[in-house]
C-alpha cells in the first residue's frame, strides 16, 4: 500500500547484573551452609554423626553434588572416607586416595592433607592431577572439587571434600568462607 512501517527498540545488556545476582545467591547458599554446620558442631558430640550431618548440610543447603570427609589411616597413609552425602556418592566406591606423594596422593585431597592447606581443582576433565579419578568423576558428573584439610591441633588428620557438577565452581570468595569453617 506504499506506507512505511518502522519498529523502534532499546536493549540493555544485563549480563553483569545477572552474574552479580548469581554470585550473591551462591554466597548466600555458602553462608547458610556454614551457619547450619556451625550449629551442628555446637549440638552434636558424636564425631561420626557430626561428619555425616556436615556432609548432608553441604549437599542439601550448599547445592554440592558430593560432600565427603576422609581421615588418614596412619598405618597405610590411605585416606578412608568416613562420611558422605550427595547424588554422586557412588563415586567413592571405586577410588583410592593416599597422602603419599604418589599419583594417588597428588589430587586435591591428598595434597590438602599433606600440605595442610586448601586445594582446588576447578576443571577435573583437564587437570592432570585428577588423572587417577577422572573416569569415575566423569561417570558421576563431577566437574570441579575442593579439599579443605581438617586439623587436630596443628596436625592435618583428614579433609572435607566438596564437588560440583559445574566447572570453575569454586571462587576465591567461596573458598575463603569455607576455610573459615
Amino acid at each position: 500500500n506504499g506506507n512505511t512501517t518502522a519498529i523502534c527498540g532499546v536493549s540493555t545488556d544485563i549480563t553483569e547484573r545477572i552474574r552479580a545476582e548469581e554470585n550473591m545467591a551462591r554466597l548466600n547458599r555458602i553462608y547458610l551452609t556454614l551457619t547450619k554446620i556451625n550449629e551442628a558442631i555446637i549440638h552434636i558430640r558424636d564425631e561420626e554423626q557430626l561428619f555425616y550431618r556436615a556432609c548432608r548440610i553441604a549437599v542439601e543447603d550448599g547445592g554440592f553434588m558430593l560432600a565427603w570427609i576422609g581421615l588418614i589411616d596412619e598405618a597405610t597413609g590411605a585416606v578412608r572416607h568416613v562420611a558422605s552425602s550427595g547424588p554422586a556418592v557412588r563415586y567413592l566406591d571405586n577410588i583410592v586416595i593416599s597422602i603419599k606423594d604418589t599419583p594417588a596422593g597428588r589430587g586435591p585431597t591428598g595434597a590438602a592433607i599433606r600440605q595442610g592447606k586448601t586445594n582446588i581443582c576447578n576443571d577435573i576433565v583437564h587437570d592432570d592431577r585428577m588423572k587417577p579419578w577422572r573416569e569415575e568423576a566423569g561417570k558421576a558428573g563431577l566437574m570441579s572439587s575442593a579439599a579443605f584439610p581438617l586439623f587436630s591441633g596443628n596436625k592435618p588428620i583428614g579433609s572435607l571434600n566438596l564437588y560440583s557438577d559445574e566447572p570453575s565452581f569454586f571462587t576465591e570468595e567461596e573458598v575463603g568462607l569455607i576455610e573459615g569453617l
Side-chain angles (χ1 to χ4, degrees):
N1 66 6
N3 293 334
T4 303
T5 305
I7 298 175
C8 181
V10 176
S11 67
T12 303
D13 184 358
I14 60 169
T15 304
E16 287 304 314
R17 188 175 85 203
I18 291 172
R19 281 190 191 132
E21 289 172 358
E22 289 172 348
N23 187 46
M24 185 61 68
R26 285 171 59 163
L27 291 176
N28 284 337
R29 260 194 354 250
I30 298 298
Y31 278 121
L32 176 63
T33 301
L34 297 178
T35 299
K36 287 189 172 187
I37 290 175
N38 280 327
E39 288 173 2
I41 289 169
I42 292 168
H43 297 297
I44 300 173
R45 293 288 166 229
D46 179 70
E47 186 177 87
E48 186 177 324
Q49 281 185 325
L50 175 61
F51 288 166
Y52 173 72
R53 181 75 180 123
C55 290
R56 205 169 102 213
I57 290 168
V59 170
E60 292 175 1
D61 296 306
F64 295 101
M65 286 287 292
L66 172 63
W68 68 279
I69 293 176
L71 298 178
I72 301 169
D73 180 331
E74 294 290 343
T76 65
V79 178
R80 57 184 175 79
H81 105 267
V82 296
S84 58
S85 184
V89 75
R90 303 296 289 167
Y91 165 72
L92 299 171
D93 293 343
N94 299 310
I95 64 168
V96 174
I97 299 175
S98 173
I99 61 164
K100 297 177 182 175
D101 191 13
T102 63
R106 291 187 189 124
T109 303
I113 296 170
R114 198 171 50 256
Q115 298 165 1
K117 64 181 186 178
T118 300
N119 200 291
I120 307 296
C121 174
N122 265 325
D123 188 359
I124 290 174
V125 173
H126 297 103
D127 191 323
D128 287 340
R129 299 173 301 156
M130 292 299 293
K131 191 173 183 179
W133 311 282
R134 185 175 294 136
E135 184 178 338
E136 292 301 321
K139 289 178 190 175
L142 303 174
M143 301 298 286
S144 57
S145 70
F148 301 88
L150 300 174
F151 293 88
S152 178
N154 291 328
K155 181 182 177 188
I157 60 166
S159 69
L160 166 63
N161 306 280
L162 303 173
Y163 294 76
S164 174
D165 59 352
E166 299 174 32
S168 301
F169 182 84
F170 296 95
T171 66
E172 285 184 35
E173 288 174 295
E174 289 173 337
V175 169
L177 289 173
I178 298 169
E179 284 176 338
L181 180 65

